[in-house]
Amino acid sequence: MDDRGSGGGGSFVAVRRISQGLDRTNTCQSSSAEVVAGSAAWLGRGLSCVCAQRREDDSRMSFDLSPAQEECLQRLQNRLDLAYDSSILEHQEALRALWKAAFPEEELHGLVSEQWKEMGWQGKDPSTDFRGGGFISLENLLYFARNFPKSFQDLLQKQEGDRSMWEYPFAVAGVNITFMLIQMLDLEAVKPRTLVGATFLKFLSDNESAFDLLYCIAFKLMDHQWLAMHASYMDFNAVMKSTRHQLEKELLEEDITRLEELPSYTLLTTR
């Protein structure tokens, strides 16, 4: 697997919220929508490392899996092992599809373009930001855009709540959320070593898109925590820790049989 385990995860670019908006006419954006623009300000060495901490007793825990759960975990791990490769046509098409989902009325001028900064990538080539999450982080963003387009646009355009002057960049935050979930669920292990990881595999065996769905829940929950904490870019690590803690708590609640029953699922807008 790539360098996710190093905790590097890539640097995090703070973005300044502006009120003018971009001249687009897509139906998901109102004329008064507030959007984000790239900034030269940087936030530390990366955010993913804050999500990789484990309790001392985790390494001594182990959970047996059914054959079906083993198969589902292996398929997901195969996805995790796949790095983004800009020379692969399928990866190129996925990146173009993400742009189309985000900005349906704006033509993309190239896979390397200053336009990508509008989505919250650090530079003009988004492929350089995928190191921390691999190709699955792009798949997660696409799943979010296609299945919860209203929530996707709300977060992309920062349309909800009382926002700070310096906001988190949407796309890079999305890669960090992928990384956080991989660490939280201990998905690189042969079998789960935490109760929350074992619990997730029960959901995965019932729904092969469980990781993508949990990603959407986590992204929306992170933004909800961001607003509740009145956060600015220097607070992103604290927001991510709070998001992880809340997700773990909800996943371990009794009587939860589907991810759609998690309390934070209600934050998502399906239309």
Side-chain angles (χ1 to χ4, degrees):
M1 202 163 285
D2 55 27
D3 60 353
R4 283 191 295 264
S6 68
S11 299
F12 187 81
V13 183
V15 292
R16 188 164 186 256
R17 191 165 59 89
I18 58 176
S19 57
Q20 294 91 336
L22 300 175
D23 186 16
R24 300 194 185 94
T25 58
N26 74 72
T27 58
C28 297
Q29 176 185 343
S30 66
S31 60
S32 61
E34 292 173 326
V35 298
V36 294
S39 165
W42 293 85
L43 179 59
R45 293 167 46 196
L47 303 170
S48 301
C49 57
V50 304
C51 305
Q53 300 170 357
R54 292 177 179 156
R55 295 182 294 274
E56 292 181 359
D57 61 341
D58 283 351
S59 61
R60 297 194 295 270
M61 301 175 67
S62 181
F63 297 85
D64 292 330
L65 303 178
S66 69
Q69 289 173 335
E70 287 182 355
E71 185 178 346
C72 289
L73 177 58
Q74 184 59 60
R75 283 198 295 267
L76 179 55
Q77 288 176 333
N78 289 341
R79 292 177 65 194
L80 302 183
D81 283 334
L82 185 60
Y84 179 86
D85 187 340
S86 57
S87 68
I88 297 178
L89 182 60
E90 178 187 358
H91 293 197
Q92 296 174 13
E93 291 175 347
L95 195 55
R96 289 191 181 94
L98 179 62
W99 178 268
K100 184 66 175 179
F103 307 121
E105 302 299 327
E106 182 175 343
E107 181 182 356
L108 177 65
H109 301 317
L111 294 182
V112 178
S113 168
E114 292 290 334
Q115 291 173 284
W116 288 106
K117 295 180 182 178
E118 300 171 17
M119 196 184 295
W121 299 105
Q122 295 185 95
K124 60 183 181 180
D125 183 2
S127 68
T128 62
D129 288 328
F130 285 124
R131 284 188 308 163
F135 183 60
I136 194 172
S137 59
L138 174 53
E139 292 180 312
N140 290 157
L141 283 165
L142 259 179
Y143 182 92
F144 192 11
R146 289 168 171 169
N147 290 274
F148 302 97
K150 177 64 166 58
S151 290
F152 179 90
Q153 286 291 333
D154 286 346
L155 270 60
L156 171 65
Q157 307 293 351
K158 303 295 189 295
Q159 290 181 318
E160 294 182 339
D162 183 15
R163 296 283 171 176
S164 68
M165 180 61 70
W166 292 96
E167 281 284 317
Y168 65 86
F170 173 79
V172 177
V175 174
N176 274 273
I177 289 171
T178 297
F179 180 91
M180 181 269 286
L181 290 177
I182 293 170
Q183 296 296 317
M184 183 186 84
L185 302 172
D186 200 20
L187 292 177
E188 295 176 319
V190 174
K191 58 182 179 179
R193 295 172 295 186
T194 64
L195 182 56
V196 70
T199 300
F200 170 74
L201 286 184
K202 295 179 182 178
F203 298 130
L204 184 64
S205 61
D206 293 332
N207 177 8
E208 198 158 356
S209 297
F211 185 80
D212 302 272
L213 178 56
L214 186 60
Y215 172 89
C216 301
I217 296 170
F219 208 147
K220 188 65 176 178
L221 175 60
M222 183 279 291
D223 190 75
H224 180 76
Q225 300 281 68
W226 176 274
L227 293 173
M229 295 168 66
H230 304 286
S232 187
Y233 70 95
M234 290 297 292
D235 304 310
F236 191 88
N237 283 1
V239 173
M240 288 289 281
K241 287 181 180 179
S242 177
T243 301
R244 173 171 174 166
H245 175 76
Q246 181 62 28
L247 273 181
E248 290 176 329
K249 178 182 176 182
E250 293 187 13
L251 285 167
L252 296 178
E253 285 187 10
E254 295 182 2
D255 302 326
I256 298 292
T257 61
R258 301 164 60 244
L259 290 178
E260 290 87 348
E261 296 172 356
L262 294 178
S264 291
Y265 177 82
T266 61
L267 298 172
L268 287 168
T269 304
T270 55
R271 294 182 180 273

